[in-house]
Amino acid sequence: MQKVVHLLRLLRFIDDSKHRRNYIALLLLTIVSLSATGQDLSITKINLQLKEAPIVNALQEIQQLSDFKFFMGPDIDKYNQVRITISKQDISVRDAILEVLKNTNLRYTQKQTNILIDEKPAAQSPVFVKDQTGGGAVAQERTITGRISDAEEAGIIGVTIKVIGTSIGTVSDLKGNFSLTIPNDEVVLEIKSVGWVTQEIPVKGLKEVRVTMEETAEAVEEVVITAFGAAQKKESLVGAVTTINPSELRVPSSNLTGAFAGRLAGVIAYQRSGEPGLDNADFFIRGITTFSSGGKRDPLILIDGIEMNTNDLARLNVDDIASFSVLKDASAAALYGARGANGVILVTTKVGRVDKLSINVRAEQSTSYNTKLVDLADPITYMRLHNEAVRTRNPEIELPHRSSTIYETERGSDPLRYPSVDWYDYLLKDHATNRRVNLNLTGGGQAVQYYLAAGYQNDKGILKESTENLLDNNINIDRLQVRSNVTITFAPTTTGVVRAYGSFDDRTGPRAGGAEVFNQARNATPVKFLPYYPADATRGEVNHILFGMGPELGQYVNPLARVISSNKESKESTMLVQLEMDHKFTGTLEGLSARGTFNVMRKGYYQLERSYSPFYYTPVSTVDGSYSLLALNPDEGTEYLTYGNDIRQVNASNYGEVRLSYNKLLNGVHDISGMLVGTIRNESGSLNYEDLYNGPSDLIQASLPMRNISTAGRVAYGYDSRYFAEFNFGYNGTERFAKRNRWGFFPTIGAGWVISNEPFMSNVNDNILSNLKLRGTYGKVGNDAIGSVNDRFFYLSQIDMNGPGYWFGLPGVGNDNYFRNGIRIDRYANDLITWEIATKANVGFEIGMFNNDLTLISDVFWETRENILQDRADIPTTIGLRTIPQANLGIASGQGFETELKYQKSYANGFWMLINGNFTYATAKYKAFEEANYSDAPWRSRIGTKLGQPMGYIAERLFIDEPEVNNAPRQEIGGTYMAGDIKYKDINDDGVINSDDMVPIGYPTTPEIIYGSGFTVGYKSFDLNMFFQGSARSSFFISPGAITPFINQGQRGLLQYIADDHWSENNRDIYAFWPRLSDHSIANNNVASTYWLQNGAFFRLKQVEVGYSLPERITNSLSVKSLRVYASGTNLFHWSSFKMWDPEMAGNGLGYPVQRVFNGGVSIGF
Amino acid sequence: MLATLMGVMSCDYLDVVPNDTATLEHTFSNRSVMDKFMRTVYSYLPDPTNPHYYPAYFTSRDEFDWRTDVRVGNLPAGQISQGNQNSNSPYLDYWSGRNGGKPMYEAIRTCNIFLENAHIPKDIDETERQKWIAEVKFLKAYYHFFLMQLYGPIVVVRENLPLSASPDEVMTYREPIDDVVAYIVELLDEAIPDLPPVIQDPNTEQGRISQVIALGIKAKVLAWAASPLFNGNPDYAGWVDNRGVQLIPATYDPTKWAIAAEAIKEAIDVAHANGFQLYEFNKFSTPQTFAMNDTLVTMMTVRKAVTEDIERNTGVIWATQEQFANGKGGVPSALPQLGNMVRSLFPNLYVTDQPLYFNYMSASWHMGELFYTDNGVPMEEDKYFDYDNRYRPRRATPGDHHESYIATNQVTAGMHFHREPRFYANLVIDRGFFELASTTEDGGRSFSPFVQSRGNEIVGTQGQASYTPKKILAFESSGSQGVTGRGYTQHNYHFPLLRLSDLYLLYAEALNETKAQPDNEVYYWVDQIREKAGLKGVVDSWREAAYNPDAPRNKNDMRRIIQKERLIELAFEGQRFWDVRRWKIAGQYWSLSPTRWGDIGASSDEAFYIPTAYAPKRQVTFRDYLFPISIDDLRVNNNLVQTYGW
């Protein structure tokens, strides 16, 4: 009570104080001082009121009040009749225990907060038991000793060891040791403890029994980590939360997000690029239900309660994750109020436990290959079709390649004059090698427990390194993460956790990024020049690479020179320190606990580029193998490096949280709990991750901190483990809106009904139906991150005081003085802008069958997202606004369902299996959208169409001939078009194809369905895992502008697909893949239309892993605790109707391909 | 408890925006920021050095032309020249600022913001404040005028509508052309008294607006109003909006010409009073030109009327501050040179030149036929000119006395002989000279290497375009020589927006329309121009050389003579696009086939000197005279009516 008074006084002090900034520090100080009380049994004081209580209940009561945990030996049953009556204030726990055990032969032993109650060892006297096997011989009793340990060889306290068929038994002590007197050698011991798989061990002949216990799967899932890290019993959960065993997320990659697709029910995820460092998957909880451009759509990510970004999540090491939860519905995310509308991903990292040091090491090496690289046509085909492309569009123009040139190139007799270059060959390797090592140490004593981990990853790109070059131009990323989670037990009721984490990325790579290398390889002419020339007689002495170029500098791009003449180096670090204090109140406030968290995080980034200016040469004559090179830029090339584009950025954030929670079970049936959380957050520096790469913004508004304050609470009531009801709210403030719109209140309600716990279900055998639960929630959550991050302050106008200007005067020395920048209005103030609000409903059921071997969880959800920020559509151009104002006008509605099924079983013969699968369907459509008046063209209206669904023309086919072109409706899409170009459908029949003929086409670009399924089977030391994943109901466009061959002065390479299948005058295939060739962009063909629309559905064998754990006798001889070797493969096969590139890359298919990875690893425990 | 705590703290904690963040009030807090705001207003001036996005150059192929193997045809202006203008997503959409157009209505709103707030700053001299207000009023008028030239009847924004305006208020109408003209003239009349007669100190103020400029633009506005496109144009008789208001009058009103004539005369008088006079080249201005003969001096007078340094050019009333530069017009990065109009027009001077950067664009072949003969009359009207054999190759002999024009003993087309000085000053012809202040090959041979521009004479290209518009390429520029020397030095000059010659010819035009029969007053203004070009007066020239010697005495013939004089005098100056539309005669020019001399790689003179159409004709109808508005704009404002015909 004193403590509470103290706290109240403190808070009042803060209220009064003008020095509010200091309050977190003060609060922390106070919490530290609070927790300094109560070190051991004799110090922790409780108020004990017992009347005629059985011993076990008495001890449980002490446990409730004190935070000590009691383990009972089997002998305690002997004292069932003893009744205890005590009424004492401020009694120490020690005295309370002694009081309870007063009239028994029981004793207690303490190890930290664990207290073992068992019978005092009696003086051993031999007892003769009749030999039950017959034969008259009398078997003598003997004592058997043993040790019970977990998989990591830590002793387990309090395990019951019982001789089957008798009442003989004992419990394991603090170190897991036990000793038991058995009547004879034929007995079987039953080893049993909650949370562990029960085992039966025949004693026969054994002097010592060593038992390694396996955790039951249920034990892990019994508790679910929910908002603000609160552990909630799964049974009482009414919200929709997906949890996953972190080890399921283990993939041979340095990027955790790549594992999400198909593994998390309710998460729509896909990976568009395989470039190391830029291969984050996109993931959305229950799809995307907003269309605010630039706003936040992806979930809030919290790691140990701290808001982090996708990259931080991607860097997490699976081995360090203790729990991984996805909060999907309003109720689960409600406490995050204004930030939870897009769902929340909640990750906690492991902490230490009382045990001797245990070390785990994992090392992996993998090789990655492009899943599919888009093929390029050979140079001869390139030249022939280039001629065709020019001739077919304009017969007047001279052909770019003479037939003699084609002939000579084909002969290959003179590659200097008639080069033929496969740029892929010069720029790309066929595989890359990556390495990863993780190490963690865990253990601890009574006062301090630790979990220390370090991870190192080295990822290389698939770009070819040039040995002659000044620079290493391949992508190379070295990453190091160090984590230290130290738990300090100040008292049984008071613990603190100090978390420190550092992540350090060192990256080098090509200046424009890996994807650009692939682009450049495709964008260069294969026949004009060699990538570089061997030194000729006159240039033998030069100290640089003789890069090739056409006769004119600047006319062509030499991708090799571009790529290898520069590189970018960047270093990025994240460091955080986090302090947590947890105190459980006792006495009259029993059931109440308080927790404070404080976090400081710094992110730093710097980048620089080094480059040299390549020397270009063009061959001018070739006589009998000797040739001469003409230097094109002898004065501009450099043989030394220069550096530039130097970016340094820092981002700082602080977070504080105070939480009060209360749990109480009244009369054994009324389960009451409540929680109240206050948080405060400040982030300044570069405001989002993109900005780190895009360079600094000079807007003052971008420099201002992002701030949030929230108060959130939960009240829950459960009756008899059957009925549950919950109310949650978040009351949140943000800096983004005008004063009157800054605070938002987001309430939710939920209820659950565990039918299987009803009395009328008691006759249903657990072996058939073990669990049946219905639950539902309804409520509101918000999103304050609307619009682009530089548009945070909608209520203010944004004025660029250095906008486009004008100069007066005459040109000449010093006349820049007469130039002045202008003033530009970039945003008009609108103080009405406010939150996006999601109203979500969720109904779910859970079924467990066959002792919960089979579990099925299904949820159906609905969402209405209101106040979506969108551009005003009713403002005519003639008003003259520079930017279109935005307003909270849009409404979208989403719905869908998700289900996950899991079946696990192990058999006595050592075979075990786990099969699981999940399926997510989420769709959303526009309900309200301000747009122009489309009453005469209703198909152009967005309302009722799906979010993310493209608008485009309906392509009928290609034009057959010129008469058809002339007689068809005029296509006012842009540019000239002719036979062999795309013919569009005239939707409104007005004889003109224009934007009024655009309609929604295809599926949304974000998949509506993501599913996955896999199995793991094990037999003794072997295990095998296979995982399949699929995606359906999505569309994407092939971007014709990005693959049009021969454009840019005849440079762009020719894709084999186009070479093989295009309209030509000789072969007028009106359904050819590619329209009539051209050496320039044909605007008519480049617009979004069904011609380029592709189905993004695919199904793939995502992962296969085979593992072998060395048997104990071998590990023992190696003095390691465990050793597992494994091999795995990722992205091995896929099935899709789309063949050009990996369908998961969708519209990004020309970028850095998704990788197929083969991996070998070893995991060792000491 | 916590809620209270957070509630109390929130007031300050979430207020992260400091008080001194830039807001609209800051933009008029003092003279300095007001000055900046005025620069913003100026910055919307359409940029005539931006060739693909300014409508006067490559939207048709009768004055300038672009080579088909160059992709500038895919840029907005080139698209229009191929007949691809459309109402779906119009090219050069100056209405909304899309597809290469500058947002003129945004410019007008910016003017209005300035005018609404100009009274605020305290630290500005009242005279200066009034001068600045007058400048902005001029610009507001000019932005309206620019739109009017492209769209005809436009929405007039007298005052800004507030953001909170109701949908009914914002759905404004296009106003009848006469109302638009009246409003523009009203604005100019308001501005003129507060403007200085001329720019006082060009060193610091060149580019600002003066009375002479405002009067000149007023003259042009009124000339537009009187011209056939907007004055009784029967094509637009059916153009009414949803209220039934007719936007362009169907009946001709001759008094509009009288009003225009009066305004033009006032502009000319004030210009004269302030020292403006037709430009004349002084060969003693630089050492390089001392040796020039009279022929060259006349040619220099023609060229330098445009390219002379602005502070020495007495004939330019208003010039842009923008400069021709690489990459203008958002041209694809691979060849930013394409955006530099003067560079792209520059000819290949030597056989060994690398063609890449130069001569991507050209003077249209048809411009070769435009200029007069040396008798000062059109080729087809000159009874002494061998019109029928004008395409036949002919060798230049000393007897031709063309040593200043054509390299002796070289063969070129017949029509390249016996033309007026402006022909040679405007165009670089095959085997003609391109006079530059400095050329270096062959040990500094004089500034006139003759140009060899046939297809097989240019390394690695597909034939030089037909002609080069020498007139707008400054004498002080220099081009490349040979394989290794790829230098190109640009000589910047202030590209004229309004020359005194323009006003003279406009005045002649207006007078001719107001009189029953042309008289000496009409001839006077035309003959002033001809005199500077080394030609006799209209009456004398026709009488001496033309098949129809009395043409200048006939009002209709005189109209054609004035129009032709104007097309010649203002050739390549970004005026033709406006004039041929104003006169309603664009169709005959825009539908000409893109043409060049001869076959690629022609080996003989005969094979080369054949006019060859090399790209399809453009179909031109009356609707092409005015630009369409995007159908998206019509959807937002249901009261807007589409440009007639689109």
Side-chain angles (χ1 to χ4, degrees), chain A residues 1088-1148:
Chain A
S1089 77
T1090 52
Y1091 210 81
W1092 306 113
L1093 195 70
Q1094 302 291 327
N1095 187 343
F1098 66 87
F1099 180 66
R1100 80 183 335 152
L1101 175 53
K1102 182 106 175 173
Q1103 189 166 348
V1104 175
E1105 179 169 320
V1106 188
Y1108 175 70
S1109 303
L1110 264 60
E1112 205 170 339
R1113 57 190 164 81
I1114 300 179
T1115 53
N1116 283 344
S1117 68
L1118 294 169
S1119 24
V1120 298
K1121 206 155 57 180
S1122 63
L1123 197 158
R1124 177 170 177 265
V1125 291
Y1126 56 94
S1128 56
T1130 304
N1131 292 338
L1132 297 176
F1133 300 105
H1134 68 257
W1135 295 267
S1136 159
S1137 61
F1138 180 72
K1139 306 295 179 199
M1140 283 178 76
W1141 54 73
D1142 191 305
E1144 189 164 357
M1145 298 172 73
N1148 191 32

Side-chain angles (χ1 to χ4, degrees), chain A residues 287-293 295-297 342 783 786 836 863 865 868-869 892 924 947:
Chain A
I288 301 172
T289 322
T290 178
F291 47 81
S292 131
S293 67
K296 188 170 173 64
R297 296 148 182 239
N342 300 316
N783 180 13
I786 55 173
E836 194 173 286
E863 172 173 353
R865 189 77 67 105
I868 297 175
L869 191 71
L947 260 60

Side-chain angles (χ1 to χ4, degrees), chain A residues 703-724:
Chain A
S703 78
L704 302 175
M706 288 174 128
R707 285 184 175 169
N708 285 95
I709 307 186
S710 83
T711 305
R714 153 179 294 164
V715 181
Y717 172 73
Y719 177 74
D720 196 22
S721 294
R722 284 185 280 159
Y723 308 108
F724 297 93

